[in-house]
Amino acid sequence: MGEVDPAFIQAQEHRPKPDFTKAEGIPLIDLSIISFPNSNLDNDQALGGLVEEIGDACKNWGFFQVINHGVPLAKRQNIEKASRMFFYQPLEEKRKVRRTEEKVLGYYDTEHTKNVRDWKEVFDLNVQDPTVVPASYKPDDEELTRWFNQWPEYPADMREVCEDYAKEMEKLGYKLMELIALSLGLPDDRFHGFFKEQTSFIRLNHYPPCPVPDLALGVGRHKDAFALTILAQDDVGGLEVKRKTDGEWLWVKPTPNAYIINIGDIIQVWSNDTYESVEHRAMVNSGRERFSIPYFLGPAHHTNVQPLEELINQQNPAKYRPYNWGKFLVTRKRSNFQKLDVENIQIRHFKIPESEQAEKLDRALSIKQ
C-alpha cells in the first residue's frame, strides 16, 4: 500500500475531519453481575438496572462499551499476538490463504465499502467450521454449500488461538442477546434458537499507516448486517460512530480491555425499529498502524429475518417484509470480489412503505370497530 491508488479516495463529503469529536456519551456498561460466578444473580434490582442500561444504549446510541465482561484477558492477548504475527509476514505468505469467490474465508487486501477501496488488510474465519450457506444469491436456487476456514502455516497456533477466542465471543454474544431480549420485554432465551447453526465470523483487521489519512478510510461508512458486533480495538483507536441526534461523526476513545458493542441490522428488523443499527467507519493515520478484531454474531442461513411477532400489533404493524438471511449474506459477499454497478443489498430494500403500514393500521382499526 505504498502509492495511493485513486480507488482509495473518498468522495469529498465522506472524508474524515482532521479535528474529530470524541464520543464521550457512548455508554460504558459494567457486566459484573452476569459475568462472574460470585455475582448475586438473584439481585433482581441490579439485573433490572443493567437491562435498562442496555435498552437505553441500544435505543439512543446503537453502540455501547462493556467492561467486566468475563472474557479472559489472556485469550484476547493471544489472538492479538497471532494477528500481528500473521500480518507481519511477507505478502506472498499471506496470499497463500487468500480469499476468492470459491474460498470466501481467509486473507484479503482489496475490500471495498460503498464501492470505495478500504485502507486495510483482513483475515476472516467462521466460528462454525464449516458453515452451511446457500450456494447462490439467486432466489430460486435452493442448493447449499459449505464455507471452510483456511489456516496459515504461520503462526503455528493460529487455529487453536482463534478457536479458543471464538468460544469466548460466543458466550459473551449470548449474554448480550439475553440482555437485549429482556430489554425488549421478551424472555431471555428468545434469540437462542436462531443461532444453533450460526453464520458468525471473526475478522482480524490491520490498518497500515496511511500517507493520506484525510482522503482515505480504513473502512468506509456502513452498518453491520449481522445481529450484533463485538469489537476489540487496540490503543490506537480509529472507530467513528455517527451520532443519531445530529449525524455528527464521533471518535470512540479506546477503553483498556473493554469491548465495543453495536446493534446490527438484524436486531433492527427483529425489534421492528425499536433499536436501530447505526452507521460507523474506521479512520487511519499517517504515523501508526492499527489492529482491531470484530466478532459478528449471525443466525443460521435458513433464518427468515422479520419483526418478532411479540413486538408487532395493530398500532405497531410490521415495518419490514421477511428476508432470508442466507441469501442476504451471500448477496452481500459478492461485493467483496467485484465492484458493483449498484448499491449492495440493504435492509431498507425490505422496508414496508409507511403508506402501506398506515393502510394496514386503518384496516385493523376498522375491523376492530
Side-chain angles (χ1 to χ4, degrees), residues 70-131:
V71 178
L73 180 58
K75 298 206 172 179
R76 175 166 169 169
Q77 290 172 333
N78 288 343
I79 196 170
E80 288 173 343
K81 179 183 176 183
S83 174
R84 289 174 182 268
M85 291 172 70
F86 173 76
F87 286 123
Y88 286 161
Q89 294 183 100
L91 186 58
E92 59 267 25
E93 288 299 316
K94 292 181 282 192
R95 284 184 170 171
K96 289 179 180 178
V97 287
R98 184 174 172 80
R99 268 173 21 189
T100 65
E101 289 193 61
E102 290 73 39
K103 296 179 179 180
V104 302
L105 300 165
Y107 175 76
Y108 205 61
D109 60 353
T110 55
E111 192 159 81
H112 290 72
T113 302
K114 306 289 187 188
N115 277 337
V116 180
R117 189 170 166 188
D118 297 328
W119 191 273
K120 69 178 181 187
E121 54 181 347
V122 305
F123 180 85
D124 288 344
L125 61 120
N126 270 2
V127 170
Q128 193 162 303
D129 189 19
T131 294

Side-chain angles (χ1 to χ4, degrees), residues 56-64 244 261-263 276-278:
D56 288 346
C58 292
K59 187 173 292 183
N60 298 326
W61 283 94
F63 268 81
F64 54 95
K244 291 175 66 174
I261 314 300
N262 68 279
I263 297 303
E276 182 185 350
S277 177
V278 173

Side-chain angles (χ1 to χ4, degrees), residues 296-332:
F296 302 93
L297 179 65
H301 74 88
H302 49 72
T303 303
N304 283 323
V305 180
Q306 58 190 319
L308 298 179
E309 57 184 16
E310 303 98 313
L311 301 180
I312 58 175
N313 52 47
Q314 291 178 346
Q315 284 70 41
N316 184 35
K319 295 176 181 171
Y320 296 89
R321 299 188 306 276
Y323 64 89
N324 175 263
W325 168 243
K327 291 293 185 183
F328 189 101
L329 177 62
V330 171
T331 304
R332 286 289 282 261

Side-chain angles (χ1 to χ4, degrees), residues 115-262:
N115 277 337
V116 180
R117 189 170 166 188
D118 297 328
W119 191 273
K120 69 178 181 187
E121 54 181 347
V122 305
F123 180 85
D124 288 344
L125 61 120
N126 270 2
V127 170
Q128 193 162 303
D129 189 19
T131 294
V132 178
V133 294
S136 163
Y137 66 91
K138 297 175 181 175
D140 298 330
D141 187 348
E142 297 183 1
E143 185 181 352
L144 298 176
T145 189
R146 293 185 295 171
W147 289 347
F148 291 87
N149 287 332
Q150 296 191 79
W151 296 107
E153 293 180 9
Y154 179 85
D157 63 349
M158 180 90 153
R159 178 171 186 167
E160 179 186 352
V161 164
C162 289
E163 288 179 347
D164 279 351
Y165 185 76
K167 290 173 186 172
E168 297 299 329
M169 288 296 97
E170 191 173 4
K171 285 190 284 188
L172 179 56
Y174 268 76
K175 285 180 193 174
L176 292 166
M177 291 303 295
E178 288 174 1
L179 291 168
I180 289 168
L182 290 170
S183 75
L184 289 167
L186 303 169
D188 62 359
D189 63 352
R190 178 62 176 90
F191 297 114
H192 286 189
F194 293 117
F195 301 104
K196 288 181 179 174
E197 298 174 47
Q198 60 185 288
T199 53
S200 307
F201 82 100
I202 288 173
R203 166 166 288 180
L204 310 181
N205 283 321
H206 177 222
Y207 304 93
C210 177
V212 287
D214 55 332
L215 301 179
L217 287 166
V219 184
R221 72 199 191 284
H222 67 284
K223 298 183 178 185
D224 291 344
F226 284 67
L228 196 71
T229 305
I230 304 174
L231 174 70
Q233 68 167 343
D234 64 14
D235 63 343
V236 176
L239 175 67
E240 285 196 319
V241 175
K242 194 172 188 179
R243 186 162 53 195
K244 291 175 66 174
T245 53
D246 59 7
E248 180 77 16
W249 285 105
L250 304 178
W251 184 77
V252 180
K253 182 181 178 181
T255 300
N257 306 325
Y259 284 100
I260 299 168
I261 314 300
N262 68 279

